[in-house]
Amino acid sequence: MSWLKTRIRRFIAFCKTPKGSVIVASLIVLLVLFCMALPKRLFLTPTSYVIEDKDGNLLAASIATDGQWRFPAAGAVPDKFAKCIVAFEDKRFYVHPGVDPIALARAVFQNISGKRVVSGGSTLSMQVIRMSRNKPRTVWQKFIEAFLAVRLEAGYRKSSILRLYSANAPFGSNVVGLDAAAWRYFGRPPKQLSWAETAMLAVLPNAPSLIHPGRNRTVLLAKRNALLDRLASMGTIDSSTADLAKLEPLPDKPHPLPRVAPHLLERFKKEYSQLGVAQTRIRTSLDAELQQQVVNIIDRYHRNLSANGIHNAAALVLEVETGKALAYVGNVHTPRSDESENQVDMITSLRSPGSTLKPLLYAAMLTDGLILPHTLIPDIPTQIGGYMPQNYDLGYDGAIPASRALSRSLNIPAVKMLQQYKYQRFHPYLKRVGIHSLTRPADFYGLSMILGGCEVTPWELAGTYASMARTLNHYERYHANYNPADYHAPTYLKNDAQSPEKGTERASIIDHASLYFTFQAMNEVMRPGEETLWEQFGSSKKIAWKTGTSFGFRDGWAVGLTPAHVVCVWVGNADGEGRPGLTGIETAAPILFDIFDLLPASGWFPAPLDRMVQTAVCRESGYLAGPDCPHADTVYIPVPGHRSAVCPFHQTIHTNPEGTLQVTADCIPPDQLVSAKWFVLPPAMEYYYKPRHSNYRELPPFAPGCQPGGESRVMEMIYPKDNARIYIPQEIDGQRGRVIFNAAHRKDGTRIYWHLDDTFVGETQTFHQLALDIPTGPHRITLVDDKGVRISQRFEILQK
């Protein structure tokens, strides 16, 4: 110990001398230079954008900006390639410090003896430095490479150096890196290559020009086989394996890289800077097998759709629990067809959603207690301001249960419901559930919002339905409470960080029971092309689904869900051209169900009974049963349904003993009065409801002398409504059109006398329609029936 202390004292004393100070300072400078000799990133060359599925299978890749196929390094170097490249290039790789003195001495001797460059003596570490610097190969550069190779070995593990080499070595033509080479020459990832294929790639960086098809094939084959023999002699592989490997042929030409998800690749390129990922290679959440199957379905349907001038289609499959995309087909992939705009990613494109937002309104109104699941909604000709919605079939039911209106996708009941809910409330509600594309104020969209008078993307729409399904799935997990984090946007990244779980809450945007009844209503729609009793087949999956068709037949939608998956399909033309027959039920729904056939069955949502109550509901109207309701069923309804209205359509009337005439106590003795509970719709609703419901009983007429006063509700104007503003377009022949007035009367055969601005213009009986040519300006229409009942209202004819 005293000897060591003496040495230390002498060294400190030496450092204090001028000569010692210079030497120590020089050593410190050299050490600093040594440490700082390498940049933080060795390779700054651009890399290809690469997307893989959840298991690492290549989905698509794009060439780097410098024209090279250069994949970012990913994972460890396959064991076969590591053994091949070390055996071929640097057999003492694992023991030297970056420079191999034996290899250098051998190279100098061979080069002097041969009077030419026979061997370079570069180690793999030196080659990594040379590739990163890309400098002319001189003796001085060789010395710098050796110095930096030692520095590389000091800061990197051997496995990392191999990884750098395999990712940046040239493999002929414009192929750089082992991953790109494996896909270009063999159509497979490096880990799936045989010994012969791996050996061929190991010899290429030494002479990358050998890969040109039709040239140097004999030389390349000889080098590959020689490496296989060396591997056998080293005991890496046995002799029989080497012999069999030498029988494998060399690749004839480069393989095209997979293009299973080209639109997602382009999306990744656009969003790369915002994703915060470390490199231009990502592991997505997609399932390569499912992705290819969905692509095949889209291509199969596209062949038929294109005959009708429908050139584009897209499909998205989400996993409900995580919101991750399992399949992402942004469009039909036909690279040679530029006119059809198949390069446009329709998954992220804003399109009119048609009727696909109707379930959201139904769920919102159930949550707020404004309706019950089967509440009757008016379905009659409607004009609200200058807006006149129409059903797809141009017919009217008079009144229809809300659930049935949803399953049949009727437009007028939807508008009536939104009019009650208020579009000013519906607008922020849509944003809360995940529709963030509504960038304009609510007044810009108005009531047409519910019929597709706005724009959404399939990505947002599918994500919204996934959030709804996820919330209902978690009913038991959170003990009938809600986690706000269940509403989140979908993702296509495998390792995307999900929103952290927040504390549960008692209330939510949509309650569990309302979600359950909404999905039940969406499940009642008959599948396209199926028999009426398709549900009875055991193999049929229970799916909640909704279609949508935009105005002008420009977009066909179908969105469906189960507890495990959401599928969203869009069909149309990217340029917005409408086509006859381009409807959701005809074009998108068949694709939807073919995709669901690929997915495993997942049962159905459990009924959230803790969020329901049993109560008496009027069988005929779907409202809470009132005292006049004769048929009340005790059923489950959402808890907020207790706030909904009592049935307004049942009333108690008095008839004669035969029940054929209405009477009052003023015209017959009180002991002859018979009380009856009667289902009575307003005249306009009754007019359309009665032909579709043979069991509907009209009110009996009043007995002579028993007519009470003030019975104006026997007659109602259907069109136009009071204070309507009407524009009359020109007909096909160029003549100015006429206004079709329409009224309903409770009593068949009644005559109605029509007056326009106090001038008699005609009379009708039974069917009360009248076509009038009316000048522009304000007017008043007055109707008087043959009993003297009178209604009158104003309207205005617009000039333009």
Side-chain angles (χ1 to χ4, degrees), residues 316-646:
L316 177 66
V317 180
L318 297 181
E319 183 181 61
V320 167
E321 181 60 30
T322 62
K324 293 180 179 179
L326 302 180
Y328 187 113
V329 182
N331 210 325
V332 180
H333 184 51
T334 52
R336 297 180 182 178
S337 177
D338 295 331
E339 296 181 359
S340 57
E341 299 188 56
N342 290 329
Q343 76 281 0
V344 179
D345 182 4
M346 300 310 303
I347 296 296
T348 57
S349 296
L350 289 169
R351 306 294 298 196
S352 167
S355 299
T356 56
L357 300 182
K358 289 177 181 175
L360 302 179
L361 175 60
Y362 180 79
M365 296 189 73
L366 287 175
T367 299
D368 285 2
L370 297 175
I371 60 171
L372 298 183
H374 309 301
T375 295
L376 279 184
I377 306 296
D379 183 22
I380 58 176
T382 300
Q383 183 180 36
I384 305 169
Y387 179 52
M388 286 187 60
Q390 287 187 320
N391 294 325
Y392 177 73
D393 60 3
L394 302 181
Y396 308 95
D397 280 67
I400 188 169
S403 58
R404 186 64 178 154
L406 175 60
S407 64
R408 286 181 53 193
S409 195
L410 297 179
N411 291 339
I412 292 175
V415 172
K416 290 284 190 182
M417 291 167 67
L418 184 56
Q419 188 180 22
Q420 180 184 358
Y421 187 77
K422 307 300 181 187
Y423 66 80
Q424 294 88 346
R425 292 175 60 198
F426 193 54
H427 182 265
Y429 161 84
L430 288 177
K431 290 188 175 182
R432 290 179 65 198
V433 297
I435 306 295
H436 301 291
S437 54
L438 306 179
T439 56
R440 296 176 180 267
D443 289 337
F444 175 82
Y445 305 105
L447 293 172
S448 67
M449 190 188 316
I450 196 60
L451 304 184
C454 58
E455 291 184 323
V456 304
T457 66
W459 183 254
E460 285 188 343
L461 188 67
T464 295
Y465 277 103
S467 294
M468 294 164 63
R470 187 181 307 117
T471 299
L472 188 52
N473 281 344
H474 292 169
Y475 164 72
E476 294 181 352
R477 175 188 295 183
Y478 298 125
H479 308 290
N481 289 333
Y482 304 89
N483 184 351
D486 282 343
Y487 280 88
H488 61 76
T491 181
Y492 56 84
L493 298 178
K494 179 181 179 179
N495 298 319
D496 191 23
Q498 298 296 312
S499 302
E501 286 197 5
K502 304 176 182 178
T504 58
E505 301 174 356
R506 190 62 182 162
S508 180
I509 308 170
I510 308 173
D511 70 66
H512 289 126
S514 299
L515 288 170
Y516 181 80
F517 283 111
T518 300
F519 296 158
Q520 285 288 88
M522 293 170 65
N523 176 246
E524 293 175 1
V525 187
M526 189 187 303
R527 301 185 184 187
E530 296 277 6
E531 296 294 334
T532 305
L533 300 180
W534 65 268
E535 305 99 321
Q536 297 183 6
F537 293 94
S539 61
S540 297
K541 297 175 184 175
K542 201 168 183 180
I543 300 168
W545 64 291
K546 184 74 187 72
T547 60
T549 304
S550 67
F551 178 78
F553 303 102
R554 294 182 173 90
D555 306 271
W557 292 80
V559 58
L561 60 89
T562 66
H565 301 100
V566 169
V567 177
C568 183
V569 177
W570 174 90
V571 176
N573 288 310
D575 60 5
E577 179 188 0
R579 298 297 301 172
L582 205 173
T583 64
I585 192 69
E586 295 291 337
T587 61
I591 299 175
L592 177 92
F593 285 105
D594 277 4
I595 294 175
F596 266 115
D597 284 342
L598 303 174
L599 303 174
S602 57
W604 192 241
F605 301 94
L609 297 180
D610 288 349
R611 286 293 188 170
M612 299 182 188
V613 292
Q614 284 186 307
T615 191
V617 173
C618 180
R619 185 183 303 169
E620 288 85 355
S621 70
Y623 282 82
L624 292 178
D628 294 328
C629 181
H631 308 111
D633 297 324
T634 300
V635 298
Y636 281 103
I637 64 170
V639 171
H642 270 310
R643 300 195 298 266
S644 66
V646 174

Side-chain angles (χ1 to χ4, degrees), residues 9 122 217 228 260 314 389 434 453 456 520 573 618 634 637 658 685 736:
R9 284 196 296 269
S122 294
R217 308 284 288 177
L228 290 170
V260 185
V456 304
Q520 285 288 88
N573 288 310
C618 180
T634 300
I637 64 170
E658 294 79 18
M685 293 170 65
R736 187 170 181 268

Side-chain angles (χ1 to χ4, degrees), residues 742-769:
N742 196 3
H745 200 286
R746 195 179 298 283
K747 185 177 179 182
D748 288 339
T750 300
R751 291 181 182 271
I752 294 181
Y753 303 93
W754 301 70
H755 301 79
L756 180 66
D757 300 328
D758 298 324
T759 300
F760 176 74
V761 291
E763 67 177 76
T764 57
Q765 186 175 8
T766 305
F767 298 104
H768 304 294
Q769 289 186 347

Side-chain angles (χ1 to χ4, degrees), residues 61 159 213 250 262 283 295 452 598 643-644 649 695 703 732:
S159 59
L250 297 176
R283 183 75 61 91
V295 168
L598 303 174
R643 300 195 298 266
S644 66
F649 300 129
N695 60 343
I732 296 177

